[in-house]
Amino acid sequence: MGHSNWFLVAFLSWVFSVSRTHQLQSSQTGILLQIRKHLEYPLVLENWNKYNGDFCNLAPTQHMSITCQNNSVTELKIMGDKLSKVSSEFNGFAIQNQTLSESFSFDSFVVTLARLSTLRVLSLVSLGIWGPLPDKIHRLSSLELLDLSSNFMFGAVPQQLSRLVNLQSLTLDSNFFNDTPPNWLDSLSKLRVLSLRNNRLKGQFPSSICRIRTLTDIAFSHNELFGRLPDLSTLTSLHLLDLRDNHLDYELPPMPKGLSTVLLNNNSFTGEILDQFDKLNQLQHLDLSFNLLRGTLPSALFSLPNISYLNLASNMLTGELPNHLNCGGKLGFVDISTNRLSGLLPYCLGTTSNRVVKFGGNCLSIDSQRQQPQSYCKAAYKERKSPMGKEIWLLITVIGGAFVMALLFLGIVILCRRYRTRRTSERPTYPKVVQETAPAGISSELLANARLISQSAKIGTQGAPVHKVFALEELEEATDNFNKSMFLGGGSLGEMYKGRLENGTYVAIRSLALHKKYSVRNLNLRLDLLSKLRHPHLVGLLGHCIDAGGQDDSTVDRVFLIYEYVSNGNFRTHLSESSPEMVLTWPDRLVILIGVAKAVHFLHTGAMPASFSNRLKTNNILLDEHRIAKLSDYGMSIITEGFESLEGKGDGQKSWHMTRLEDDVYKFGFILLESLVGPIVSGKGEAFLLNEMSSFGSQDGRRRIVDPIVLTTSTQESLSIVISITNKCISPQSSARPSFEDVLWNLQYAAQVQASADSDQKSDAASSHS
């Protein structure tokens, strides 16, 4: 009898346990479905409609992932496609097709999120979320990572965030926060990553930040900060400091010794470059360009052991560089142009060096066509040594200006009142929010994939594989001595082989023949630059192998590049695919084009130095097993071409930078065109396609030239948007071609229009069946 009772109790306990587990999972699922409803059923969550299983087992995608522990959601990451241009027509309300609708309640949304009580990682990017960030955000008490970047939030960063004591990463980039920077952040004692790039924050850099000893990344670039930057030397864990494009002034402050990236360009810093920079032995990237820095240039900066990028352009640096200047072995890019330097260019910065060097606009004793006369720099040097006259003149000017201002004071007060009544129409303001429920709306622009990637490990994210130097024997073993059965194809960039590494990983190995000989050291510098180009829509470069016969100082004419293997063919093949299950509809093509556009935009704006002439064609767009686009053969100019000067090449001519950028825009235009008409028509050549562009202007012309699959799966509005931007990309007048940012925005907008129409069509079909 006792055994029977024990068995009954154990059985009931098991039933109760199973019941509780099922109930808990059902509750979590209900909350996730409510979140989708709040976000107004974004396209990236469309697969939730058909999924009947456990959401914790839902396969992650590039734009959505859910992680669970003990049947509770611990990580939720969603990336949408709500992309809008920065608009000056802000009126405090939701914007159609750019934000969520007017009925969206940020307050209610946060309350729903807070019901996921175990949530540690929350990333909601580019979803059109608009309004002030509610104080109720503190209810997400378990959060360790919060990323709400590329949305439409404004007002102040709420102080209630300080109650998230476990928070380690806070990212609010590309919003419209327009209050003063938060000065209570030292309450977040575990904070490692703090990023508020691309907002409208006004005021001084918050001194409380200097008390957060755990910080590894600080990013406030592209705001409106002003005044003095405080002493940062106490932040001993800091690796990244990004304060570009603000109005910071005064002298440069003391810096922590562990910094690896310092970006202070486009500010108004004055004084001399402190000797303390010489002691930053971990420093890799230093950009102090476009400031008001004076004095001599510290020669020790060039010999820092890890420095690879040094930009001191457009300051007022004077004096001569020592002839015996020593340059570090990793230094690949130097820009000292547009200063007031004189004398000779040191040997390690000369034309025989293995690095990119810009030095125009000084008074150096070489290349006189690009240099100022010696008198220009000598006058600047004398002015620096005897500044008293200038200071007296400045004092007189200030006093005189103050006197004039006093006389005009009453008039200004009257005019100011009138000006405020018109200011909304001339330059819109962003309302400061006091109450949580204040209505608001904003237009914004997502500068996707154009930001410096932090070197610190981000919580809840998986880092890219480490770039490896392979031995030739490893590649021979992986390809069975480059057997013909492993041959994938060839071209102007050499032969491509499929290989299988010792750990079972499949790779693509390119044997690249170099048209000019490089030293091993020179080639390593170029490969180092290429290896840093990391993006979800770029085929990953896993490593390289230099075939130099084992001699460190020998020249090289062949290198092997080892890439991730992308198994699903190229875009061009899929455009001509006749199997119904493999056909690419218009929405499919837009997704691929948007992915490639993001990758190219990153290559243009998110890499230092930028990568242009990226061999853009449909054959070089590869698709993985999920049809995610990955661009191959990018950045080859870094290896196959000599670095050219970024200076203008004569009066009235475009700079090298703009010429190469427009080349990518032009080539991408033909990718768009091939996506519209299909590869059979496009095989007739560029001249034929350019002539046929006029056909797109009429319905009959479109029916004649546009791919039938595109015609049957697209709306006229979505199609017209892409045709319009295609026409601009391949314009014979380069000045009429759009920026890649404009191209990306138009493709995103076309995808939104198409998705909206498809959703309406499904709703109508469901209504007719019911």
Side-chain angles (χ1 to χ4, degrees):
M1 184 71 179
H3 288 291
S4 301
N5 290 337
W6 178 87
F7 176 79
L8 180 61
V9 170
F11 176 76
L12 291 174
S13 299
W14 176 79
V15 170
F16 180 72
S17 174
V18 171
S19 176
R20 279 195 61 175
T21 302
H22 177 72
Q23 183 179 1
L24 179 62
Q25 183 57 46
S26 299
S27 171
Q28 297 275 301
T29 300
I31 296 170
L32 290 172
L33 294 176
Q34 286 185 45
I35 289 172
R36 183 186 60 162
K37 182 178 179 180
H38 279 293
L39 294 175
E40 299 173 5
Y41 305 98
L43 187 63
V44 294
L45 302 184
E46 188 177 28
N47 60 338
W48 290 15
N49 294 330
K50 307 171 185 177
Y51 190 74
N52 297 318
D54 188 340
F55 271 57
C56 292
N57 298 324
L58 190 63
T61 67
Q62 182 186 356
H63 301 287
M64 187 283 302
S65 68
I66 299 172
T67 303
C68 301
Q69 288 183 5
N70 300 323
N71 292 322
S72 295
V73 178
T74 56
E75 297 186 13
L76 176 62
K77 299 178 184 178
I78 306 173
M79 177 181 289
D81 56 1
K82 293 285 187 183
L83 182 66
S84 63
K85 287 198 166 187
V86 173
S87 171
S88 60
E89 299 178 356
F90 169 68
N91 57 10
F93 295 94
I95 302 174
Q96 189 175 7
N97 296 324
Q98 296 182 34
T99 69
L100 297 175
S101 68
E102 292 183 4
S103 61
F104 170 72
S105 171
F106 207 165
D107 215 53
S108 299
F109 180 52
V110 170
V111 170
T112 301
L113 283 170
R115 292 172 60 195
L116 298 174
S117 58
T118 57
L119 198 61
R120 296 199 302 267
V121 173
L122 177 63
S123 178
L124 304 172
V125 176
S126 192
L127 289 164
I129 299 170
W130 66 276
L133 183 58
D135 284 346
K136 291 186 176 69
I137 193 71
H138 75 85
R139 296 184 181 180
L140 293 160
S141 57
S142 298
L143 275 187
E144 297 175 8
L145 180 147
L146 177 63
D147 185 355
L148 300 176
S149 56
S150 301
N151 282 294
F152 300 80
M153 291 174 282
F154 66 96
V157 179
Q159 188 170 355
Q160 294 296 326
L161 270 174
S162 64
R163 296 171 62 179
L164 299 179
V165 294
N166 295 313
L167 200 62
Q168 299 179 40
S169 180
L170 175 61
T171 304
L172 301 173
D173 296 343
S174 298
N175 279 284
F176 278 78
F177 290 107
N178 59 301
D179 207 287
T180 56
N183 202 23
W184 39 259
L185 290 164
D186 53 332
S187 300
L188 302 174
S189 59
K190 297 181 180 179
L191 195 63
R192 297 173 61 247
V193 177
L194 174 62
S195 188
L196 288 105
R197 297 183 178 102
N198 289 286
N199 280 283
R200 299 291 184 269
L201 295 169
K202 305 177 181 70
Q204 295 191 339
F205 184 88
S207 59
S208 64
I209 289 178
C210 301
R211 295 190 288 272
I212 312 176
R213 303 298 177 86
T214 53
L215 276 174
T216 61
D217 294 34
I218 297 176
F220 277 83
S221 58
H222 305 282
N223 278 284
E224 298 176 23
L225 305 183
F226 57 82
R228 187 189 297 271
L229 194 60
D231 184 341
L232 301 173
S233 59
T234 56
L235 300 177
T236 53
S237 300
L238 193 64
H239 299 309
L240 169 70
L241 179 64
D242 182 5
L243 300 176
R244 294 169 290 170
D245 292 288
N246 280 286
H247 309 296
L248 297 166
D249 49 20
Y250 292 92
E251 295 82 6
L252 294 169
M255 299 283 178
K257 294 182 179 180
L259 278 170
S260 59
T261 300
V262 178
L263 306 174
L264 300 177
N265 48 299
N266 292 89
N267 279 285
S268 300
F269 288 108
T270 59
E272 300 188 1
I273 300 177
L274 303 179
D275 291 338
Q276 52 131 349
F277 278 92
D278 304 348
K279 301 178 179 62
L280 303 184
N281 290 331
Q282 303 303 315
L283 196 60
Q284 298 178 23
H285 294 80
L286 176 62
D287 195 339
L288 300 175
S289 60
F290 293 94
N291 279 290
L292 303 172
L293 297 170
R294 296 175 175 268
T296 57
L297 207 164
S299 57
L301 284 179
F302 296 84
S303 60
L304 291 172
N306 290 292
I307 193 74
S308 62
Y309 181 95
L310 179 60
N311 193 342
L312 306 171
S314 298
N315 280 285
M316 292 183 283
L317 301 171
T318 56
E320 298 183 4
L321 288 169
N323 291 331
H324 60 275
L325 183 71
N326 181 30
C327 292
K330 297 182 179 180
L331 187 59
F333 180 89
V334 177
D335 190 350
I336 54 174
S337 61
T338 320
N339 278 286
R340 299 178 183 184
L341 303 172
S342 55
L344 295 172
L345 194 68
Y347 175 78
C348 78
L349 299 180
T351 55
T352 57
S353 67
N354 298 320
R355 52 184 56 91
V356 184
V357 180
K358 297 177 61 182
F359 52 82
N362 285 288
C363 302
L364 299 168
S365 303
I366 56 173
D367 197 2
S368 59
Q369 292 183 352
R370 297 172 57 208
Q371 301 296 323
Q372 300 283 358
Q374 289 289 336
S375 57
Y376 173 80
C377 293
K378 288 180 180 179
Y381 185 69
K382 289 179 180 178
E383 177 185 323
R384 173 179 163 264
K385 292 186 70 176
S386 303
M388 188 61 68
K390 180 180 178 181
E391 291 178 0
I392 293 173
W393 176 249
L394 181 62
L395 182 61
I396 293 173
T397 303
V398 171
I399 294 173
F403 178 71
V404 172
M405 290 300 294
L407 292 177
L408 296 176
F409 180 73
L410 291 177
I412 290 174
V413 171
I414 295 172
L415 290 174
C416 187
R417 289 177 179 270
R418 295 181 180 179
Y419 169 74
R420 284 175 180 170
T421 62
R422 298 194 301 266
R423 189 170 58 174
T424 301
S425 60
E426 294 174 358
R427 183 183 178 189
T429 59
Y430 303 88
K432 286 191 177 183
V433 180
V434 178
Q435 299 179 357
E436 294 179 357
T437 56
I442 265 180
S443 64
S444 176
E445 178 174 37
L446 174 62
L447 301 177
N449 304 313
R451 305 287 172 254
L452 180 70
I453 301 173
S454 170
Q455 296 174 10
S456 303
K458 298 294 186 284
I459 305 166
T461 62
Q462 184 175 357
V466 177
H467 187 86
K468 178 185 175 183
V469 178
F470 286 84
L472 183 57
E473 292 76 12
E474 291 181 86
L475 304 186
E476 290 173 343
E477 183 178 347
T479 59
D480 193 15
N481 288 320
F482 296 98
N483 192 289
K484 289 183 179 180
S485 63
M486 309 297 278
F487 183 69
L488 295 176
S492 60
L493 289 180
E495 299 175 334
M496 182 75 83
Y497 293 85
K498 181 179 179 181
R500 186 182 185 190
L501 301 179
E502 188 177 3
N503 62 6
T505 303
Y506 284 100
V507 294
I509 303 171
R510 180 178 294 285
S511 174
L512 179 62
L514 302 176
H515 297 299
K516 61 178 292 187
K517 291 183 181 295
Y518 296 109
S519 68
V520 173
R521 183 172 174 275
N522 189 340
L523 187 56
N524 270 317
L525 286 170
R526 294 166 183 264
L527 289 168
D528 182 60
L529 291 175
L530 185 62
S531 69
K532 292 177 180 177
L533 302 180
R534 300 280 187 174
H535 189 273
H537 292 290
L538 294 177
V539 176
L541 179 62
L542 305 179
H544 71 268
C545 170
I546 296 176
D547 185 14
Q551 300 178 19
D552 291 339
D553 297 327
S554 64
T555 57
V556 183
D557 55 14
R558 185 173 67 150
V559 63
F560 296 94
L561 302 177
I562 296 86
Y563 293 96
E564 65 173 312
Y565 180 70
V566 184
S567 59
N568 206 14
N570 64 56
F571 188 28
R572 195 170 203 273
T573 302
H574 281 260
L575 287 174
S576 57
E577 181 61 59
S578 57
S579 302
E581 68 276 7
M582 297 297 291
V583 166
L584 291 176
T585 64
W586 181 239
D588 295 333
R589 300 182 192 201
L590 284 175
V591 170
I592 292 168
L593 292 170
I594 288 169
V596 177
K598 286 181 177 180
V600 180
H601 188 231
F602 164 76
L603 291 170
H604 287 183
T605 62
M608 298 186 298
S611 173
F612 302 104
S613 294
N614 289 295
R615 301 179 61 83
L616 301 183
K617 53 185 179 180
T618 50
N619 282 343
N620 286 341
I621 300 171
L622 306 182
L623 305 182
D624 69 8
E625 62 273 18
H626 305 295
R627 283 187 178 177
I628 295 174
K630 291 178 176 287
L631 180 65
S632 67
D633 287 354
Y634 57 89
M636 286 294 103
S637 58
I638 293 175
I639 298 178
T640 60
E641 299 178 14
F643 287 114
E644 300 179 49
S645 169
L646 301 185
E647 301 292 332
K649 296 184 178 179
D651 294 339
Q653 293 188 9
K654 288 185 177 292
S655 69
W656 175 86
H657 177 280
M658 289 304 299
T659 302
R660 303 297 289 274
L661 187 150
E662 288 168 355
D663 179 57
D664 271 355
V665 173
Y666 185 75
K667 292 297 183 183
F668 190 75
F670 281 94
I671 291 177
L672 295 175
L673 198 49
E674 196 165 329
S675 303
L676 288 165
V677 304
I680 297 176
V681 177
S682 65
K684 297 183 179 181
E686 290 186 4
F688 172 82
L689 289 173
L690 287 171
N691 185 57
E692 290 295 311
M693 277 301 294
S694 58
S695 302
F696 285 123
S698 66
Q699 294 297 327
D700 289 339
R702 290 187 185 183
R703 280 193 290 269
R704 179 172 60 83
I705 191 172
V706 173
D707 189 335
I709 296 172
V710 173
L711 286 175
T712 56
T713 58
S714 66
T715 66
Q716 288 298 322
E717 185 180 358
S718 176
L719 198 59
S720 296
I721 293 167
V722 178
I723 289 173
S724 175
I725 196 64
T726 302
N727 198 27
K728 293 176 182 178
C729 287
I730 61 178
S731 171
Q733 291 80 33
S734 59
S735 60
R737 295 174 195 156
S739 67
F740 236 96
E741 190 178 324
D742 288 333
V743 175
L744 178 56
W745 182 85
N746 276 274
L747 290 174
Q748 291 272 26
Y749 182 54
Q752 288 181 6
V753 169
Q754 185 66 46
S756 178
D758 291 344
S759 178
D760 292 343
Q761 186 176 5
K762 288 179 182 178
S763 298
D764 293 342
S767 300
S768 62
H769 286 303
S770 60

